[in-house]
Amino acid sequence: MASDSFVHAAAALRAGDRDRYLSTLVLTGEQRDAVTALYAFNADVAAIRDRVSNPAPGEVRLQWWVDAIEGTEHGAVRSNPVADALLRVTEDYQIPAGTLLRLLNARRFDLYDDPMPDLPSFEGYAGETASTLYQLAAMILNDGNTLDAGDAAGHLGVAHALIGHLRAFGRISAQGRIMLPWSVFAANGVNEGEIFARTESEGLVEALGQLSEIAADHLVRADAAIADLPTKLRPAFALAPVLRRQLEMLNQHTDSPFGPAPDEPDWRKITRLLWWSWRGR
């Protein structure tokens, strides 16, 4: 399976989503190639907003992926190495096209400036995006057979999405967007103008703290669910310790919530990933 398409997918993932790329290092062989292709597809889709000037070209790119997955203009699609790698994986591991199409549909929200309304909406968005990736990665490790990893994928996906958006809060708000649940900010007396003006307040700190606590709770629930999974499936969830450390560092961060989030060097993350994977055997 280590064709040029998979080599290109690995390079694209390494450049576009460093943490998910590092998480594939605990895998081996064809399964690693397959999960890498899945994650590279997601990295391309997740970056669409940053590559376009308005929603229209973003919609075009999303539709291109829809056509690729549904089989429209199949030959032309195969000239894109990430798409070629993904389509090979969907064929080899019986990945449901509907699941990938729901991920693409959820990503349409990224293209617009509407705030994320509330926590249930955010959890639904995270479920169709981050949680879906964990579920499909576990399916690949299960050789394409269906499995019940919903609780592990669901909780870790929501935690992953919350932590990611907490870490990117300053960058995303500078774009005029609020991707974290708006209802939490409103309940703490924060208005949109304050966020877009990068105004720090007790209400803002309290809102971000509450979201951090929700993320921590999902991590705890994910740990319990992962522990109940067959050993061969657990590497699909290897990012859990990296996410936990990122949340800890974010909570210890005393600078502005609009500033860049602290992070660990790659070698520390790799150590965490390998140690966690070894302990789970």
Side-chain angles (χ1 to χ4, degrees):
M1 190 180 275
S3 68
D4 289 345
S5 291
F6 287 96
V7 172
H8 184 97
L13 178 60
R14 183 173 183 174
D17 190 337
R18 188 75 171 183
D19 286 352
R20 281 196 174 95
Y21 170 76
L22 295 177
S23 76
T24 67
L25 300 182
V26 304
L27 306 175
T28 58
E30 294 185 354
Q31 290 180 337
R32 178 180 174 184
D33 286 339
V35 172
T36 296
L38 174 68
Y39 288 172
F41 153 71
N42 177 71
D44 182 274
V45 173
I48 290 176
R49 167 70 189 233
D50 293 332
R51 297 200 305 261
V52 299
S53 57
N54 61 75
E59 291 279 8
V60 170
R61 182 60 178 175
L62 284 176
Q63 187 60 47
W64 185 92
W65 275 112
V66 169
D67 293 343
I69 291 166
E70 290 183 335
T72 306
E73 299 180 0
H74 201 67
V77 163
R78 291 284 189 173
S79 64
N80 179 299
V82 173
D84 179 53
L86 177 70
L87 292 175
R88 293 194 196 188
V89 171
T90 61
E91 295 162 0
D92 292 345
Y93 292 92
Q94 298 82 52
I95 301 297
T99 302
L100 298 177
L101 293 175
R102 288 194 296 274
L103 183 153
L104 290 170
N105 186 58
R107 283 294 184 182
R108 283 196 161 86
F109 186 88
D110 299 359
L111 303 179
Y112 299 90
D113 293 339
D114 299 326
M116 182 67 68
D118 48 39
L119 185 58
S121 298
F122 184 91
E123 289 177 337
Y125 170 87
E128 297 289 8
T129 54
S131 297
T132 286
L133 293 176
Y134 285 117
Q135 180 75 15
L136 293 180
M139 185 175 175
I140 290 170
L141 298 191
N142 203 39
D143 299 318
N145 298 311
T146 57
L147 73 161
D148 183 13
D151 284 347
H155 287 300
L156 192 58
V158 173
H160 191 156
L162 278 170
I163 294 166
H165 282 291
L166 284 166
R167 287 170 47 77
F169 180 69
R171 177 178 62 82
I172 292 177
S173 63
Q175 299 173 347
R177 293 194 295 155
I178 299 173
M179 288 293 293
L180 290 166
W182 171 245
S183 61
V184 177
F185 294 104
N188 285 279
V190 181
N191 63 58
E192 287 187 0
E194 290 175 318
I195 292 177
F196 297 149
R198 302 173 72 86
T199 301
E200 299 179 33
S201 66
E202 291 185 7
L204 177 63
V205 172
E206 182 65 23
L208 294 175
Q210 290 171 9
L211 292 168
S212 176
E213 290 175 1
I214 294 170
D217 180 66
H218 278 290
L219 282 176
V220 171
R221 293 171 182 266
D223 284 342
I226 294 168
D228 289 336
L229 292 176
T231 302
K232 70 176 183 177
L233 303 183
R234 294 176 192 170
F237 305 93
L239 262 180
V242 173
L243 293 170
R244 183 176 299 103
R245 181 56 185 153
Q246 286 178 334
L247 184 60
E248 291 171 353
M249 294 177 72
L250 197 61
N251 290 335
Q252 295 164 1
H253 194 38
T254 57
D255 294 339
S256 169
F258 296 101
D263 205 358
E264 291 189 313
D266 285 353
W267 71 267
R268 284 191 179 275
K269 292 180 181 179
I270 293 170
T271 301
R272 290 185 189 281
L273 290 163
L274 294 175
W275 175 247
W276 184 91
S277 298
W278 180 80
R279 289 184 62 194
R281 293 177 180 175

